[in-house]
Amino acid sequence: MFAHTHGFMNHSDDVSQMAKSKQTAVKVIYESFKVLKEAGGELAGREVRERLRNRLNFSDWETEVSAKTGYLRWEAIFSFYSVDSVKAGFLRKNKGAWYLTTEGEKAMQQGPIKLFNAATAAYRKWAADNKPGKATEEIPTVAAEQFKKSLTDLEDEALVGITEFIAAKNAYEFQDLVAALLRAMGYYTPFVAPRGKDGGIDIMAYQDPLGTTAPRIKVQVKHKPMAAVPVDDISSLKGIISREGEVGLFVTSGRFTGDAESFARSADVHIRLIDLNDFVALWQEFYKKLNDEEKTLLPLHPIYFLGRDE
């Protein structure tokens, strides 16, 4: 098990003086920050790992696999030390997505070793403030079988499975998922577009069976898991919100461009954007309110962990 309370090295500017595990950590943490910055500051955790895999050269030692866990050593080190960056405020993790903060960008400018040292120092302080017991100065050599996944890592893995399941559906199946979610949230869906031309509206959702209570929701659904919805698509939705008491909802199995999000925020009508992460979070939240048939569209199974009284 890792002793996750670690400090600065005596030779803070020479990575070769560090333990092998820390040399790997310096490399993968700094490169992950570069990956996030190049992606605009936000990326799915699984995608960060995949890009590291494609961008970095790993030694035989770093790519050894545990027969017990299936983890590569560098992946274990990366997941373990990324917690430091979160505690330092350099990264945020939320529902499988990783975000590079302003503080993280500033820390990057110090270079790989100083970034690593700043993050580990922040973790050390957090641990001292929040965890009783004596801190150890050195981490033993990292082995994949010693690595225990954090809750964040488990959430990442769960999101991978869910997103792959959604991606395998066709456009109409994803549309059915969206309609089922709206019903679970308490809306009525008298219109769900059949195959063929739909006039720009995929779903109509009302707060009452007759649609007499505002707001009435016009929904567009885009099933493109690997794509970002452009601003033109949001503008098209705005163009069909024609009456007072109507609002727009755009749901995608991918994400939205920054321009699309900005347009929705500044529009003179209410337009709500729901990307894949938002959709999965809502599906989890309202899962118990789905009927049995609707649950089979995207079945979930909870995992329970031992908690503690706060």
Side-chain angles (χ1 to χ4, degrees):
M1 188 69 167
F2 298 116
H4 204 163
T5 47
H6 39 277
F8 292 98
M9 306 302 297
N10 291 330
H11 304 275
S12 60
D13 294 325
D14 185 359
V15 70
S16 69
Q17 299 298 315
M18 293 181 168
K20 289 174 70 175
S21 60
K22 289 186 177 180
Q23 292 182 37
T24 300
V26 168
K27 175 172 67 176
V28 295
I29 292 299
Y30 185 72
E31 193 68 22
S32 70
F33 276 47
K34 288 173 61 178
V35 164
L36 284 165
K37 186 175 181 180
E38 291 167 8
E42 174 187 351
L43 206 61
R46 68 187 185 281
E47 182 62 24
V48 174
R49 290 188 182 89
E50 185 61 29
R51 295 191 187 188
L52 291 181
R53 187 175 292 111
N54 293 331
R55 289 166 62 133
L56 294 175
N57 294 319
F58 294 105
S59 67
D60 292 341
W61 179 82
E62 289 171 321
T63 54
E64 286 181 359
V65 180
S66 167
K68 294 181 180 179
T69 67
Y71 267 82
L72 302 182
R73 181 174 274 123
W74 77 262
E75 291 179 331
I77 292 170
F78 177 51
S79 293
F80 176 70
Y81 277 101
S82 70
V83 175
D84 293 16
S85 294
V86 173
K87 297 305 181 187
F90 300 160
L91 291 179
R92 288 193 303 109
K93 298 181 182 181
N94 183 40
K95 302 186 184 304
W98 289 30
Y99 304 87
L100 178 63
T101 67
T102 301
E103 292 78 6
E105 285 200 46
K106 291 178 180 177
M108 277 184 69
Q109 297 172 10
Q110 302 179 61
I113 296 178
K114 289 184 178 180
L115 168 65
F116 173 80
N117 285 340
T120 56
Y123 185 93
R124 187 177 180 81
K125 181 179 184 305
W126 175 86
D129 292 342
N130 293 275
K131 293 183 178 180
K134 185 177 179 180
T136 57
E137 292 295 331
E138 194 59 57
I139 293 181
T141 301
V142 179
E145 57 265 26
Q146 292 175 300
F147 174 68
K148 283 193 174 181
K149 301 173 192 175
S150 67
L151 179 57
T152 300
D153 295 317
L154 291 172
E155 288 177 341
D156 286 353
E157 287 193 13
L159 186 59
V160 169
I162 293 171
T163 55
E164 288 177 349
F165 187 88
I166 292 173
K169 291 186 173 294
N170 64 41
Y172 291 99
E173 289 171 332
F174 181 62
Q175 180 177 277
D176 288 341
L177 279 175
V178 175
L181 174 61
L182 288 168
R183 290 191 293 272
M185 296 173 71
Y187 293 99
Y188 297 85
T189 57
F191 175 78
V192 178
R195 295 176 183 267
K197 189 174 181 180
D198 55 32
I201 301 173
D202 295 313
I203 302 170
M204 286 294 299
Y206 300 148
Q207 294 197 72
D208 64 89
L210 299 178
T212 59
T213 304
R216 294 170 292 275
I217 305 173
K218 289 184 173 179
V219 187
Q220 281 191 347
V221 180
K222 182 79 71 174
H223 184 44
K224 290 189 175 180
M226 303 305 293
V229 175
V231 65
D232 289 349
D233 287 5
I234 312 304
S235 178
S236 296
L237 174 58
K238 180 179 179 293
I240 60 174
I241 302 173
S242 56
R243 296 190 297 164
E244 184 177 349
E246 290 184 348
V247 300
L249 175 64
F250 204 117
V251 186
T252 178
S253 56
R255 58 187 180 86
F256 296 94
T257 64
D259 287 344
E261 292 175 342
S262 178
F263 181 89
R265 286 193 298 268
S266 61
D268 56 4
V269 294
H270 182 75
I271 299 176
R272 174 71 161 90
L273 306 183
I274 295 180
D275 63 11
L276 176 63
N277 287 340
D278 293 332
F279 176 81
V280 172
L282 288 169
W283 189 268
Q284 292 170 333
E285 180 179 352
F286 290 93
Y287 187 72
K288 290 183 179 180
K289 296 187 177 182
L290 295 162
N291 63 40
D292 290 343
E293 181 179 352
E294 290 169 339
K295 286 179 179 177
T296 65
L297 300 176
L298 177 56
L300 302 180
H301 298 283
I303 301 175
Y304 296 97
F305 294 87
L306 180 66
R308 67 177 186 179
D309 294 332
E310 298 294 339

